[in-house]
Amino acid sequence: MRLMDAFEQVLLSFSSNKFKTLMSSLGIIIGVIAIVVMLSVGEGLQAGVGRAFEGMDLDVITVFPGSSGFEAGRFVYMKPAELDDKDVHELENTVGVKLASPRVGSSMSIKFRNEERMTSIIAVSAEKEPKLSDLIEKGRFLIDSDRSAIVIGSDIANKMFKMPLNPGMRLSITNKNNDISRDFTIVGVFKEKDQITAFGDNTNMEIFTTHQALKDLLGAKNYTYSQILITVEDQNQIETTSIKVEESLKRLHKDEAFTVFMMKSILEQIGQVLTMIKYALGGIGAISLIVGGIGIVNVMMLTVTERIKEIGVMKAVGATKEDIQMLFMLESGLLGFVSGLIGIATGAAISLMIANLGNFPIAVTWSSLAIGLAFGVITTTIAGVYPANRAARFDPVEALRME
Amino acid sequence: MKAILDIENVSKSYRLGKTAVPVLSEINLSIKEGEFAAIMGPSGSGKSTLLNIIGCLDRPTSGKIMISSVDTSSLSEPELARIRGKRIGFVFQTFNLIPRLTALKNVELPMVYQDIPREVRIKRSMMLLEMLGLKDRFDHRPSELSGGERQRVAIARALINDPEILLADEPTGNLDSKTGQEIMQIFNTLHNEGRTILMVTHDLGLAQNCDRIIRLKDGRIDDGKHG
Ligand SMILES: Nc1ncnc2c1ncn2[C@@H]1O[C@H](COP(=O)(O)OP(=O)(O)OP(=O)(O)O)[C@@H](O)[C@H]1O
Ligand SMILES: [Mg+2]
């Protein structure tokens, strides 16, 4: 029997039984929808988180005082380490460290022509911040000898005050805790940076100055660093370097708490979790497909039983076992293909709907659709093997005797 | 005339539990090319069983069936399928058309299994439908046809591959006597055109139209010599 003729016959039996055909493939349709939606959610999560981390510096280790407070599952209190120039010096002499740049963050009030705003100001060692220096769009970056110079992020320059701020303009900064006030000159403006605020600093919303200037504002009693940014020499050795960093700091702060933090390891962990979530979701879809496949076996068995007499007639007019087998396999395969198409279309629509409603990161990719369709076809084809063999084995006389 | 069908010592028995129930015993029969023979006999005498064995739908328990000198009792399943499709035309009491398919597609079906191209199929099917007076019914489903029309479609289907022998198992059994006469007329015409036909019937009037009447009783050919 030619494939084209087999197709025609299968299509005819399809169209003569639309309702039953559709009902029987509902399980498969639902399974395919589940796979597509779940893969899309998984892909979306991964892509979304990936984007959030795109701007991250993967060659940076951050050290800050204090700890998460948990050690081996129980709460321990340790005095936070006070980080100062000794630590910076020690870290710069640690193997694998290229730069150790201390930073201090503080909240200040800034006043420009009678408009007053609260914002965070970060003091840095200018010569150790090449990445910040590269970010300058207008004016210049800080130099360590500056005592009343600031560099501002693009949002501060363009959105914070009625008038956009530009290099050369002056404003005053007040420490509300001690009412010390100083006048500053804007020397530079950063270019706008695509950033997700949840991770790392958002330079668009920050003001940078020198340690000397912030010391003046704080009153300079006990000036300790709120973090030290370590740039490593070799990004691939960052794990080893971070262990060395920890050892160096342990020597200086025996019973004090400090945290050594790597963006890279967080990223890796999140990546692993996301991959697991993605496959778990896909797995749920696969299970629904298996259930759908069992449904197909049932329906095809029913179809075979209904058509025993027909099978007898077909054999009586010359159909071979293989012809009958092909007809039924084709029928279930086609059932899978049609259900798969309905499933991926519905799945894609549902995914896009969730994406629109929940502002949720969902990515409908061609590969998810292809996987959904392939699973639909493969499941129904496998499900069709047993019924098709049953159909092909019928003895013609016995089949013809059926009513 | 040479024999188209030779049946030698064919027996058939069914197993019922441990006992074998004989249905056909030592049947010897020869049908010549162009012959129109009727098989008669009481219900349960084994007429259908014999016809099914000749038509390769069933296998004998022992004995030989020679169709144009080929012993079908020793053939494999695919070879039997080919003989059923090409060399035998079967007409049933209950028509046995595929309900989903139109008259034309039902007639085409045996050619589909012989991989014959569509154009050839349609041409020959339409020719046969026209010959049987069903030209304007070609796209009707069986449910849209009368009993007589259905049987005519079934006859067209049986003739499509130009078989060597036409087997008919009570072809008029489900029809009223007038329609039965019409179908019988078709068989007569086919016979006059030279077809070999073997027909089971209960109707003595129809059987008397034939060249020969073969009587079956308790699974044996009743030639008057026995009981
Ligand atoms: N599969 C089977 N198993 C057991 N016995 C069977 C089987 N098929 C047929 N028989 C028996 O074989 C005998 C002959 O049956 P068959 O159908 O050939 O009779 P028939 O002459 O065609 O009768 P009718 O005129 O009623 O059609 C019957 O007694 C029947 O019960
Ligand atoms: Mg019978």
Side-chain angles (χ1 to χ4, degrees):
Chain A
M1 184 173 195
R2 293 178 173 195
L3 196 61
M4 271 313 296
D5 293 321
F7 251 114
E8 190 186 340
Q9 286 203 17
V10 168
L11 286 175
L12 275 169
S13 65
F14 250 35
S15 53
S16 73
N17 235 329
K18 284 187 205 90
F19 182 71
K20 200 198 78 193
T21 307
L22 189 78
M23 288 314 287
S24 67
S25 48
L26 216 54
I28 293 292
I29 294 178
I30 291 170
V32 172
I33 291 175
I35 287 201
V36 169
V37 171
M38 299 191 162
L39 286 179
S40 300
V41 170
E43 292 271 355
L45 274 177
Q46 213 159 30
V49 172
R51 219 175 309 122
F53 279 96
E54 222 157 57
M56 297 288 85
D57 297 320
L58 296 180
D59 58 347
V60 169
I61 300 171
T62 311
V63 173
F64 50 86
S67 68
S68 58
F70 287 95
E71 226 142 275
R74 77 199 150 88
F75 190 80
V76 224
Y77 181 76
M78 280 201 285
K79 189 166 108 27
E82 292 189 342
L83 303 175
D84 55 23
D85 285 330
K86 274 209 305 296
D87 297 290
V88 174
H89 185 75
E90 180 72 22
L91 289 173
E92 282 192 325
N93 287 323
T94 302
V95 179
V97 173
K98 188 158 96 189
L99 270 178
S101 174
R103 287 183 172 193
V104 180
S106 185
S107 194
M108 295 283 163
S109 164
I110 53 175
K111 196 169 163 192
F112 177 70
R113 296 188 181 172
N114 297 326
E115 285 180 78
E116 201 168 349
R117 302 278 186 274
M118 288 301 289
T119 187
S120 73
I121 180 161
I122 295 167
V124 296
S125 295
E127 89 283 8
K128 290 180 182 171
E129 299 279 358
K131 280 176 193 156
L132 283 181
S133 176
D134 286 347
L135 217 60
I136 287 289
E137 187 176 50
K138 287 186 261 182
R140 64 165 174 89
F141 190 55
L142 301 162
I143 48 176
D144 283 334
S145 55
D146 284 335
R147 278 194 82 147
S148 60
I150 55 171
V151 171
I152 60 176
S154 62
D155 284 353
I156 300 219
N158 300 317
K159 292 180 187 158
M160 189 167 263
F161 298 100
K162 279 182 201 137
M163 203 182 140
L165 303 178
N166 273 307
M169 288 178 173
R170 296 173 65 81
L171 42 74
S172 80
I173 298 180
T174 307
N175 181 354
K176 288 287 183 185
N177 295 326
N178 56 13
D179 281 328
I180 295 178
S181 207
R182 291 278 187 277
D183 281 348
F184 283 84
T185 307
I186 301 169
V187 297
V189 177
F190 288 128
K191 51 173 160 280
E192 191 168 346
K193 207 178 158 193
D194 263 349
Q195 269 183 335
I196 310 284
T197 31
F199 302 102
D201 306 313
N202 181 356
T203 44
N204 296 340
M205 283 298 294
E206 279 158 351
I207 296 182
F208 289 85
T209 188
T210 55
H211 287 297
Q212 195 51 56
L214 189 64
K215 238 181 240 176
D216 292 346
L217 279 167
L218 291 171
K221 274 190 303 228
N222 184 19
Y223 191 82
T224 60
Y225 298 128
S226 46
Q227 55 174 248
I228 300 175
L229 291 189
I230 296 163
T231 309
V232 298
E233 273 163 359
D234 182 357
Q235 192 180 310
N236 300 323
Q237 299 286 316
I238 192 163
E239 280 84 8
T240 334
T241 309
S242 105
I243 292 166
K244 292 256 157 61
V245 162
E246 204 156 345
E247 285 167 357
S248 301
L249 288 172
K250 270 254 163 62
R251 244 176 280 133
L252 293 171
H253 306 277
K254 205 163 171 300
D255 291 316
E256 294 171 340
F258 60 86
T259 303
V260 176
F261 171 88
M262 271 181 300
M263 222 33 158
K264 192 186 170 193
S265 61
I266 295 282
L267 190 65
E268 277 166 5
Q269 278 170 27
I270 292 179
Q272 278 167 11
V273 171
L274 285 180
T275 309
M276 266 166 57
I277 292 175
K278 197 171 109 175
Y279 285 113
L281 293 178
I284 295 171
I287 289 168
S288 35
L289 263 190
I290 291 172
V291 175
I294 294 169
I296 292 286
V297 175
N298 277 322
V299 172
M300 288 308 292
M301 286 308 286
L302 204 75
T303 310
V304 169
T305 316
E306 276 173 8
R307 296 209 204 134
I308 293 181
K309 180 139 194 189
E310 256 173 54
I311 294 166
V313 174
M314 289 173 175
K315 285 200 166 181
V317 301
T320 60
K321 262 185 182 169
E322 287 71 29
D323 290 335
I324 308 286
Q325 217 167 15
M326 176 161 79
L327 282 172
F328 281 90
M329 289 294 291
L330 216 58
E331 180 152 350
S332 52
L334 208 64
L335 201 60
F337 186 72
V338 174
S339 321
L341 285 182
I342 297 174
I344 61 173
T346 318
I350 290 175
S351 302
L352 296 176
M353 224 160 67
I354 298 175
N356 279 339
L357 286 180
N359 190 23
F360 199 68
I362 282 187
V364 181
T365 62
W366 286 113
S367 73
S368 310
L369 297 183
I371 290 172
L373 185 61
F375 265 96
V377 175
I378 291 168
T379 330
T380 47
T381 307
I382 292 172
V385 171
Y386 177 70
N389 284 343
R390 266 292 296 266
R393 274 206 309 270
F394 278 112
D395 182 67
V397 220
E398 273 169 33
L400 278 169
R401 205 178 286 136
M402 293 288 165
E403 271 318 318
Chain B
M1 279 282 182
K2 71 170 185 175
I4 247 180
L5 177 69
D6 259 311
I7 298 173
E8 295 170 21
N9 281 324
V10 161
S11 295
K12 174 78 179 177
S13 53
Y14 287 106
R15 292 219 147 266
L16 273 184
K18 277 182 184 168
T19 52
V21 182
V23 175
L24 295 174
S25 318
E26 313 250 322
I27 303 278
N28 284 289
L29 184 64
S30 178
I31 304 286
K32 290 188 192 69
E33 194 176 341
E35 198 174 6
F36 187 1
I39 301 177
M40 293 194 75
S43 187
S45 55
K47 306 181 295 293
S48 294
T49 307
L50 180 60
L51 214 63
N52 288 340
I53 289 173
I54 296 169
C56 298
L57 295 175
D58 207 349
R59 286 174 188 270
T61 311
S62 64
K64 272 187 181 177
I65 319 273
M66 312 288 287
I67 298 177
S68 299
S69 316
V70 176
D71 180 9
T72 62
S73 56
S74 62
L75 293 182
S76 68
E77 173 56 36
E79 287 167 326
L80 286 179
R82 194 164 168 76
I83 290 194
R84 287 197 287 263
K86 282 206 69 169
R87 301 173 67 172
I88 289 162
F90 222 115
V91 178
F92 303 90
Q93 181 177 352
T94 53
F95 323 130
N96 283 345
L97 300 174
I98 308 274
R100 284 188 305 280
L101 303 182
T102 60
L104 178 67
K105 294 232 173 284
N106 265 291
V107 175
E108 273 183 51
L109 203 56
M111 278 190 149
V112 168
Y113 298 124
Q114 303 306 322
D115 292 351
I116 290 165
R118 169 183 294 267
E119 313 79 63
V120 181
R121 271 167 15 207
I122 293 177
K123 215 172 142 193
R124 177 149 169 85
S125 305
M126 285 307 285
M127 190 201 87
L128 283 167
L129 284 172
E130 188 173 357
M131 188 188 100
L132 292 163
L134 289 169
K135 198 184 170 196
D136 52 350
R137 295 277 191 276
F138 76 96
D139 61 346
H140 287 226
R141 303 263 170 86
S143 58
E144 301 157 350
L145 296 171
S146 73
E149 286 169 334
R150 286 184 215 183
Q151 195 60 302
R152 280 186 275 158
V153 172
I155 293 170
R157 179 178 67 187
L159 294 172
I160 189 81
N161 278 330
D162 194 17
E164 285 154 45
I165 184 164
L166 201 57
L167 304 174
D169 193 350
E170 297 186 48
T172 61
N174 272 24
L175 302 171
D176 60 60
S177 60
K178 185 174 162 285
T179 319
Q181 286 294 337
E182 283 166 23
I183 294 298
M184 203 51 207
Q185 206 46 55
I186 293 169
F187 281 109
N188 282 330
T189 311
L190 291 171
H191 170 50
N192 292 336
E193 285 169 2
R195 296 236 168 240
T196 314
I197 305 170
L198 191 55
M199 178 178 73
V200 171
T201 182
H202 280 290
D203 188 325
L204 186 62
L206 296 183
Q208 275 164 347
N209 266 320
C210 301
D211 301 335
R212 172 156 67 124
I213 297 177
I214 299 152
R215 290 183 188 276
L216 223 56
K217 201 180 164 195
D218 297 331
R220 287 175 194 279
I221 290 188
D222 184 6
D223 46 16
K225 286 178 217 156
H226 300 277

